[in-house]
Amino acid sequence: MIAFIIRRLVILPVIILGVTLITYAMFSLLSPAEQLAAYVSSPTQLHGGTAAVERLIHTYGLDRPIWERYLNWLDNIFHGKLGWSTYANMWVSQAIAAYFPATLELAIYSFIPVIIVGIWLGVLSAVKQNTIIDHLTRIMAILGWGFPSFVLAIFLILIFFGILGWFPPGRLSTWADLVVSNLTSFHFIRYTGLNTIDGILNWRWDITWNAFRHLVGPVFTISFLEWAILLRVMRASMLEVLRQDYVRTARAKGLPERVVIKKHARRNALISAVTVGGLLVLGFFTGGAITETVYNYRGLGYFFVFSATQLDSAAIMGTALVISGGVVLTNLIVDVLYAIIDPRVRLE
Amino acid sequence: MKFIKPHRRTHLRTARPKPQGVFTSRASAYRLRQFQDYLARRRRGLRWLSQRVRRSPLAIIGLVLVLFFSFVALAAPWLAPPPSGARNPYMIPRASFRPYPEPPESAAWRSFPPDWHKHPLGLTGDQYDIYYGIIWGTRTAFRVGFEVTFSIVFVGVLLGALAGFFGKRIDNLIMRVVDIFLSLPALIGAIVLVSFMGKGLNSVIIAFIVFGWPFYARLTRGEVLRVKEVDYVNAARASGASNLRIIFRHILPNAISPVVAAATLDIGSQMVGVATLSFLGLGSPEGYADWGQLASFARNWIVGSAGDPTQYWYVIAFPGIALLLFVLSFALLGDAFQEILDPRMRGEGR
């Protein structure tokens, strides 16, 4: 058990180093002058024309061989210097810290429906295999799996904002945004950065309500795309478990079907559902980036996409590193969890 | 594992058949019979697959949709003839340079194929013709989906098979690289690569290939590990077959079916990935027949005027439906393949 975890921890730095290597390799496709944009923090530094650019290229070592540049950059990264974001007009680390709570809030609220609905429908679909319920669930899963997130988001905005006027895009309405950023007479304290929770803590229920209304659209979009993953795995593993001998034994000793399903089958099927945890997080970042962009929901994904379209290289690399760090961390947690739940894995 | 090959081994072959008819050489007759056996086996396999597909209504829907899209792609010059003097038929013609969309005109549908000059499915925000874009965009969709999927399956299967077969150091090396690539979500990695490589459809395709193959490498490796120690592989090894021959003749054919199912499913979703980047403005140049880009025109025209919120429904509805149906068609087919090829998923008593 311990050995397994240690082995995982040993691989971890290798993977993180590999990700930085890939990221920097992609970055080095740019010319030195373009790369410079990731180092320069104000336009005044560029005063002086070509000579100044040449000098800066030399100062930042951009004319050195690639491995030397990579090591320099790596050194900066480990000291927390991710560079200057021209798009956000602040340091990349500041920008990420500013945008992160929004994405975290989205993630928390998206995972609740995904897990509940995914597990419930997966079990239902397996128990009633090849009935109309199973077919409908599978169609829904395929739809969720295949629906391009940007199309779904636009359809939802058209229906729930355009026609019904319930769930507006954005993160907060203008008046609420003013309150939250302390531009009104009300003294709003940011405890967590999550609007829904800060609203309650400041006893401003109208802010919480407003934040929830803005969250419904993106949350629904992301979870609709995500629960297909969980549902498919849950259905497959449930089908396998239901054919095991211990389930037959449970039935044979006369247990009611409800107990057999809930206590004997579902619990064991849940073990392999843990493995998709990493996939879900991966899907969240992918779907989240698009969803945030379409909904104008200012989170990490939104920041990433907009810096990518404007070639804000420092921001692109910084955000990509943070995202892959999140993925690596989740995979680690999932692996360890899996090893704790399922003793067979440890013997690998 | 290293096997010592006997210096000279006895051949364990049955007598070759007597030459018949036009075949004068015994060897060619033997080859012919081998080939006929092979064809018969193939035919039996295909018949079995087609029976399974026919029994599943979802797979039939998928197949019909795929055929429909293939028809649209092939018949594009007839369904939407490019304007005379157009240099590139993939560039969507603009009705005018006015900035607002125009609704579909039912008069255009009186003849078939409809006359796109009368904009049968309406015009986007910059007056690009939606009908023309969707018809020619089908070709883009197929091209993108197949190019990306074939490349990543090729690379992934090759590396996965190597890792699974040789094990040890090679396996460790390849799988760590796979782990590294997998910790950067494909779409995120593709966005990074495209923004540094320069926008354009080709760089998007390259980016998705770079970040797509690890999935197949992992899948193939798992399957190869499963098949590797089976008796017939050991038999082939004992009879002195080379490593390459064992991989390509004995292991891969028995390990490939989950990969095929996953790849079928993937054609649609890789297309959507590329379309997503076009939607964000990183893909095809403006005006190129690409569904993702067509959908991006809708971003400024989602909600209509105060009295009529669904005024511009057609700007998103048609590209959106095209995208959805295309993914769905391959998803349904792939899902059916998975169900058929994976014995665990089969119902009891079937």
Side-chain angles (χ1 to χ4, degrees):
Chain A
M1 180 70 204
I2 303 282
F4 175 82
I5 293 176
I6 289 177
R7 206 162 53 211
R8 279 273 173 270
L9 284 176
V10 168
I11 299 175
L12 196 66
V14 178
I15 289 179
I16 291 177
L17 213 64
V19 172
T20 60
L21 195 65
I22 294 178
T23 316
Y24 197 79
M26 294 194 282
F27 176 61
S28 60
L29 290 170
L30 295 175
S31 70
E34 285 171 313
Q35 289 183 17
L36 189 62
Y39 293 86
V40 176
S41 63
S42 84
T44 48
Q45 279 181 277
L46 291 174
H47 286 177
T50 330
V53 171
E54 290 294 331
R55 202 184 59 242
L56 281 171
I57 286 177
H58 187 74
T59 325
Y60 291 112
L62 294 177
D63 46 0
R64 300 278 175 78
I66 182 164
W67 58 270
E68 214 170 301
R69 277 184 283 146
Y70 170 66
L71 289 180
N72 270 337
W73 176 76
L74 209 57
D75 188 54
N76 279 340
I77 296 288
F78 279 115
H79 288 91
K81 291 185 217 154
L82 292 171
W84 177 264
S85 162
T86 43
Y87 168 69
N89 205 15
M90 53 174 116
W91 295 104
V92 174
S93 40
Q94 285 176 329
I96 288 173
Y99 283 114
F100 181 70
T103 298
L104 184 68
E105 193 169 26
L106 199 54
I108 293 171
Y109 289 111
S110 310
F111 275 107
I112 300 169
V114 169
I115 289 170
I116 294 176
V117 175
I119 290 176
W120 177 62
L121 278 181
V123 171
L124 193 70
S125 165
V127 171
K128 310 218 180 252
Q129 196 193 4
N130 291 329
T131 61
I132 188 79
I133 296 176
D134 183 30
H135 289 312
L136 282 181
T137 323
R138 276 181 57 206
I139 293 174
M140 284 297 282
I142 293 173
L143 263 181
W145 191 84
F147 223 124
S149 48
F150 56 96
V151 173
L152 180 63
I154 291 181
F155 278 156
L156 288 178
I157 293 179
L158 179 61
I159 295 169
F160 289 105
F161 178 59
I163 301 176
L164 299 169
W166 291 348
F167 309 125
R171 198 176 168 211
L172 280 176
S173 303
T174 319
W175 64 266
D177 206 25
L178 290 178
V179 173
V180 168
S181 26
N182 266 321
L183 293 171
T184 56
S185 53
F186 185 80
H187 184 56
F188 193 91
I189 307 164
R190 306 237 60 166
Y191 294 99
T192 56
L194 312 180
N195 287 332
T196 46
I197 295 176
D198 281 356
I200 298 173
L201 291 179
N202 282 292
W203 213 248
R204 287 291 301 252
W205 287 88
D206 49 342
I207 301 276
T208 305
W209 175 238
N210 193 274
F212 267 125
R213 275 183 51 186
H214 285 87
L215 270 170
V216 172
V219 162
F220 187 80
T221 311
I222 292 176
S223 42
F224 185 75
L225 304 172
E226 287 255 36
W227 61 263
I229 305 174
L230 187 58
L231 190 153
R232 289 171 67 95
V233 173
M234 202 54 208
R235 176 171 182 271
S237 81
M238 193 69 187
L239 281 179
E240 201 179 342
V241 166
L242 279 176
R243 219 154 293 163
Q244 299 289 330
D245 285 342
Y246 55 78
V247 171
R248 192 182 303 153
T249 313
R251 281 197 182 123
K253 72 180 181 189
L255 287 179
E257 186 67 14
R258 191 172 45 83
V259 179
V260 174
I261 301 285
K262 282 195 175 161
K263 288 236 161 117
H264 295 251
R266 192 174 67 185
R267 277 201 184 175
N268 284 301
L270 275 174
I271 291 175
S272 52
V274 172
T275 47
V276 287
L279 258 183
L280 286 181
V281 171
L282 216 77
F284 172 79
F285 280 121
T286 327
I290 311 303
T291 310
E292 286 180 9
T293 313
V294 179
Y295 277 97
N296 243 354
Y297 184 92
R298 282 155 195 270
L300 218 50
Y302 175 93
F303 176 56
F304 174 69
V305 167
F306 273 83
S307 48
T309 51
Q310 312 202 348
L311 196 54
D312 182 353
S313 25
I316 299 172
M317 288 194 292
T319 327
L321 284 183
V322 168
I323 289 176
S324 62
V327 173
V328 170
L329 208 67
T330 330
N331 279 334
L332 180 76
I333 296 172
V334 166
D335 280 348
V336 170
L337 257 184
Y338 198 44
I340 293 172
I341 307 175
D342 191 348
R344 283 171 301 181
V345 180
R346 285 174 234 158
L347 303 172
E348 178 199 10
Chain B
M1 218 187 273
K2 210 164 187 180
F3 286 90
I4 303 154
K5 287 186 188 174
H7 187 61
R8 186 185 271 167
R9 58 195 147 81
T10 50
H11 290 271
L12 293 171
R13 282 194 188 145
T14 48
R16 286 174 175 167
K18 284 259 150 55
Q20 288 165 353
V22 289
F23 290 96
T24 45
S25 119
R26 282 163 46 164
S28 65
Y30 176 67
R31 291 248 178 273
L32 179 75
R33 221 185 57 189
Q34 263 197 332
F35 185 63
Q36 282 169 339
D37 280 356
Y38 166 74
L39 277 188
R41 246 181 297 132
R42 277 278 300 268
R43 229 176 287 132
R44 242 174 303 162
L46 279 181
R47 201 181 306 141
W48 178 77
L49 193 68
S50 77
Q51 269 173 4
R52 288 279 180 184
V53 168
R54 255 179 279 157
R55 229 183 277 165
S56 146
L58 289 183
I60 292 180
I61 299 174
L63 196 65
V64 168
L65 280 174
V66 170
L67 289 177
F68 169 72
F69 278 118
S70 316
F71 167 74
V72 172
L74 286 175
W78 174 66
L79 286 169
S84 55
R87 256 189 273 152
N88 183 354
Y90 288 94
M91 298 310 284
I92 310 172
R94 289 176 88 160
S96 76
F97 286 88
R98 276 170 293 192
Y100 47 83
E102 267 173 46
E105 220 170 282
S106 54
W109 289 98
R110 294 235 176 85
S111 62
F112 192 84
D115 180 12
W116 60 263
H117 293 280
K118 293 178 188 152
H119 32 89
L121 296 181
L123 297 173
T124 66
D126 288 325
Q127 301 253 315
Y128 287 104
D129 191 78
I130 297 178
Y131 173 79
Y132 189 95
I134 287 181
I135 298 287
W136 285 85
T138 316
R139 287 189 168 196
T140 314
F142 269 113
R143 184 192 136 201
V144 160
F146 280 111
E147 271 181 24
V148 173
T149 312
F150 277 136
S151 318
I152 59 180
V153 167
F154 181 75
V155 178
V157 166
L158 207 64
L159 290 177
L162 287 182
F165 184 77
F166 289 106
K168 306 253 173 69
R169 286 229 183 109
I170 297 180
D171 185 26
N172 240 324
L173 182 73
I174 294 179
M175 290 330 280
R176 286 301 83 72
V177 175
V178 165
D179 283 345
I180 290 166
F181 271 91
L182 281 180
S183 52
L184 212 58
L187 190 86
I188 303 289
I191 290 178
V192 177
L193 187 52
V194 169
S195 63
F196 288 152
M197 218 166 25
K199 299 168 188 180
L201 201 56
N202 285 331
S203 32
V204 175
I205 290 174
I206 293 172
F208 273 96
I209 293 171
V210 168
F211 285 96
W213 63 269
F215 170 76
Y216 288 96
R218 187 174 268 187
L219 186 65
T220 311
R221 173 182 173 267
E223 288 298 310
V224 168
L225 283 183
R226 187 175 60 80
V227 177
K228 201 167 87 171
E229 297 303 329
V230 187
D231 283 343
Y232 56 77
V233 174
N234 286 333
R237 205 176 267 148
S239 69
S242 70
N243 280 339
L244 276 185
R245 190 183 163 82
I246 293 177
I247 293 181
F248 285 106
R249 286 298 297 268
H250 299 280
I251 292 184
L252 273 187
N254 293 296
I256 204 79
S257 54
V259 177
V260 172
T264 315
L265 208 78
D266 219 17
I267 293 174
S269 55
Q270 294 295 344
M271 189 281 286
V272 164
V274 175
T276 305
L277 260 69
S278 287
F279 174 80
L280 296 175
L282 290 167
S284 49
E286 188 181 324
Y288 194 84
D290 176 324
W291 294 340
Q293 197 194 121
L294 218 50
S296 78
F297 286 117
R299 277 174 78 181
N300 296 328
W301 304 95
I302 302 176
V303 178
S305 54
D308 187 9
T310 55
Q311 195 179 351
Y312 305 119
W313 61 277
Y314 47 88
V315 181
I316 182 59
F318 296 122
I321 289 170
L323 274 161
L324 180 62
L325 287 183
F326 191 86
V327 191
L328 216 58
S329 60
F330 285 102
L332 287 172
L333 261 189
D335 197 61
F337 280 165
Q338 243 165 23
E339 190 92 0
I340 292 163
L341 298 169
D342 186 355
R344 271 180 318 170
M345 300 282 263
R346 252 177 252 160
E348 273 159 313
R350 261 213 273 167

